[in-house]
Amino acid sequence: MSLLLLLALLFALFLAPSLLRARAQGVGLPVGFPGAEGEARVEVELLAPLPVLLRGEVPPCAPLGTPPLRLGGLAWGRHRLTLPLPYRLRRRGAHALALGLEATGLLGLPRRTLLLPLGEALVYPALRPLPPFRPAPGFFLEGLRTPRGLPDPLEAKGLRPYRPGDPPRLLARKATLRRGEPLVREPERRMQGALFLHLDGQSLHPAYPDHAASLAAWLLLQAEREGMAFGLSLGGGRLPLGRGRAHLQRALALLARFAPSPTPTPPPPAPPGSTYLLITQAAERAFLEGALKGAKRAREGLLLLLPEGYFLFPGERGRKAFGVPPGLQRALALKGVLLAHGLRLQVVRGHEPLRFGGE
């Protein structure tokens, strides 16, 4: 009988790692721009019906600036652990974190490995001060803009007598009753534009995706500050025209995930009346043909070509370019056609500063 009990005990200890149940999640994982600092935490829940030896690690992540996070010891019963995870954001991207656990029986065998996903941290593109860019006005808005960029039709410069054709919503009811004649508010009229931005994913230089995303982030932040509508398109998705902080966060999340593509990413059609801004490095024929088709409904268009890389970050230096790259040749050959379709071509080589003015 004692031999049977001993065998049963040994068999139970052998099964102990397979009976382990574990869950983990990251809380407060960072979402922000490079340079942001803080502390997230990793919450782990363990249920071990039989004793096991545990060893676990969250590997260090250089783009997030997180150190290695380790745990270990004997687990038996239910345990809840909370581990701090400091970070200092460094590099754009969507970075997944996971906790690797290795469970071993008390006899040294067997070993069981678990990989518990903790979630994803988003690092937005780095921002650098750049020249101002003003999208073309697309249409009139009646009334002053509120801090959220929306028109307020009740704000007015003054009152005047009603004229046939005035919209009824501008009727000043109290003033009309006092005067005995119809009066309307005379609103301030402002021109309002919209920016639609497309990033070609085809990359000829390892730094292109980061630089293109950084440029796009700056343009969208400027548009949001001025209260105009903006949209974004790239290989990872498309965001229609919109306004506001939540819309900007969705756009920055797309830019954080922007990754290079081996093939061109043709642009979609421009929203009617918008400023159509396209960024490319390879300028393949499929991309240029898509740009010509997509610009039909735009108010104005700008094709920004970065053939030699776009040196934007501190420590990076431009280089003189010799010869004409194939993408630049294709774009220059179609420069007149592009302009006829409302797309102005602007080339920025590695040794030149970025300017948005005409050439």
Side-chain angles (χ1 to χ4, degrees):
M1 178 65 79
S2 59
L3 181 60
L4 290 176
L5 287 176
L6 179 60
L7 291 175
L9 177 60
L10 292 176
F11 182 69
L13 294 177
F14 186 83
L15 287 179
S18 64
L19 300 177
L20 175 69
R21 297 292 178 265
R23 291 190 303 174
Q25 65 173 349
V27 179
L29 294 182
V31 176
F33 292 98
E37 298 182 31
E39 186 176 272
R41 65 181 190 273
V42 177
E43 296 182 349
V44 186
E45 184 176 350
L46 302 170
L47 177 60
L50 295 171
V52 291
L53 296 173
L54 279 182
R55 185 173 60 183
E57 180 182 22
V58 179
C61 182
L64 300 177
T66 57
L69 190 63
R70 298 183 177 91
L71 60 89
L74 177 68
W76 191 4
R78 186 181 295 274
H79 298 271
R80 284 197 173 100
L81 306 173
T82 300
L83 308 171
L85 184 65
Y87 61 83
R88 178 181 173 82
L89 305 185
R90 295 175 181 168
R91 183 69 184 272
R92 179 191 69 90
H95 308 287
L97 296 174
L99 170 64
L101 276 180
E102 184 182 79
T104 308
L106 296 182
L107 301 177
L109 288 173
R111 292 186 178 180
R112 181 187 174 199
T113 302
L114 298 91
L115 188 64
L116 307 176
L118 300 175
E120 188 178 67
L122 278 181
V123 184
Y124 296 149
L127 296 177
R128 296 292 182 268
L130 294 169
F133 174 71
R134 302 280 181 184
F139 52 88
F140 275 112
L141 282 180
E142 291 183 336
L144 299 175
R145 288 182 299 175
T146 67
R148 294 182 178 273
L150 301 176
D152 181 2
L154 298 182
E155 293 287 348
K157 293 188 294 185
L159 299 174
R160 61 169 173 79
Y162 173 82
R163 292 195 292 260
D166 287 336
R169 65 189 176 86
L170 296 181
L171 185 67
R173 302 181 190 279
K174 292 183 180 180
T176 296
L177 291 174
R178 285 198 304 267
R179 286 278 191 93
E181 61 175 328
L183 297 174
V184 295
R185 298 180 179 87
E186 189 174 21
E188 181 178 353
R189 294 167 68 83
R190 291 179 177 239
M191 294 292 284
Q192 179 68 61
L195 174 67
F196 190 81
L197 185 62
H198 174 79
L199 273 63
D200 183 13
Q202 190 173 20
S203 173
L204 305 178
H205 189 283
Y208 166 72
D210 286 335
H211 293 321
S214 177
L215 173 57
W218 176 83
L219 289 168
L220 296 182
L221 278 168
Q222 186 185 51
E224 195 274 338
R225 279 196 296 265
E226 296 185 3
M228 69 178 61
F230 57 89
L232 176 66
S233 169
L234 38 74
R238 181 180 175 184
L239 195 64
L241 292 180
R243 290 186 179 88
R245 182 66 59 177
H247 187 71
L248 177 64
Q249 289 173 347
R250 288 191 288 270
L252 291 174
L254 283 177
L255 291 174
R257 294 184 169 91
F258 178 51
S261 165
T263 56
T265 312
S274 65
T275 293
Y276 199 39
L277 200 156
L278 312 175
I279 301 175
T280 183
Q281 185 176 49
E284 288 286 353
R285 183 167 297 277
F287 177 85
L288 295 174
E289 291 174 355
L292 292 173
K293 294 177 183 177
K296 291 180 180 178
R297 298 185 296 174
R299 186 170 183 85
E300 74 164 359
L302 175 62
L303 176 58
L304 192 60
L305 179 60
L306 314 174
E308 299 299 325
Y310 176 47
F311 297 91
L312 175 67
F313 298 108
E316 293 179 326
R317 301 179 61 186
R319 61 183 176 88
K320 294 288 185 182
F322 300 97
V324 182
L328 182 55
Q329 274 185 331
R330 284 188 292 270
L332 290 176
L334 291 175
K335 185 174 182 178
V337 178
L338 291 168
L339 192 58
H341 284 73
L343 279 171
R344 178 167 55 88
L345 175 64
Q346 183 163 338
V347 181
V348 183
R349 307 191 80 161
H351 61 287
E352 297 171 346
L354 174 67
R355 294 188 180 91
F356 287 113
E359 298 191 287

